[in-house]
Amino acid sequence: MSGIIGGAGSKSGVIGQTEIDYETGTWTIALACGSGTLTGSLNTGYYTKIGNLVHVQGAIEVNSESSASGSLDVTGLPFVVSALTEYADYCSFATFFDGIGNGVENMQAQGNPNASTIKIRRYSVSTFGLNNDFATYLDSDCVVGITGTYNSV
């Protein structure tokens, strides 16, 4: 569903025809890793776009893993993430993982500016840093879920 909402009014009290871009739909969630392969099913995500703000949610079930290692990106976002100034483009996403391997203490998901991807990184409490090795911990039959809101181009 998409459309333009007219007659939204204004804070100043002057009523006019303000057009707000509104769209809903689906997107296909995929995973990309530094090396090896991850393929999934049950990978339909949903989005709502109002103006330049996009809210996404969905999950993917990994049904095949072949020597996956290195970085992990969720790909296929319905719109490109904006590149803003002063870290304003560092939108974050809530994630959940079911069935991942041992050794994951915490993770961070962040939109990649000027791309339609989300980077997922592992935070290590022991080394106090972010690591680009999250794909190593994914196995077949695990589920990766994602939800978040970001500015689009």
Side-chain angles (χ1 to χ4, degrees):
M1 180 174 114
S2 65
I4 301 292
I5 301 170
S10 71
K11 290 183 180 180
S12 68
V14 177
I15 304 298
Q17 288 292 324
T18 302
E19 293 184 348
I20 300 171
D21 181 25
Y22 178 83
E23 180 180 337
T24 61
T26 60
W27 58 291
T28 302
I29 303 169
L31 299 173
C33 52
S35 63
T37 59
L38 293 164
T39 56
S41 60
L42 304 175
N43 58 343
T44 299
Y46 299 87
Y47 73 88
T48 300
K49 181 177 186 280
I50 302 173
N52 64 346
L53 288 179
V54 182
H55 177 78
V56 294
Q57 62 189 52
I60 182 172
E61 181 178 359
V62 176
N63 55 20
S64 175
E65 179 271 331
S66 177
S67 303
S69 64
S71 61
L72 177 67
D73 286 349
V74 174
T75 65
L77 287 174
F79 302 94
V80 172
V81 176
S82 290
L84 304 174
T85 59
E86 299 181 14
Y87 300 107
D89 55 5
Y90 275 40
C91 52
S92 64
F93 295 84
T95 55
F96 73 85
F97 299 90
D98 183 24
I100 60 174
N102 293 327
V104 177
E105 301 157 342
N106 197 351
M107 70 279 306
Q108 174 195 25
Q110 172 185 329
N112 287 326
N114 294 320
S116 297
T117 61
I118 301 167
K119 179 176 285 303
I120 299 176
R121 298 186 289 182
R122 182 180 63 89
Y123 181 81
S124 172
V125 174
S126 59
T127 61
F128 301 106
L130 290 169
N131 299 292
N132 288 321
D133 63 352
F134 197 81
T136 306
Y137 296 92
L138 297 183
D139 298 317
S140 293
D141 297 323
C142 75
V143 176
V144 177
I146 194 89
T147 185
T149 302
Y150 65 96
N151 262 316
S152 65
V153 174

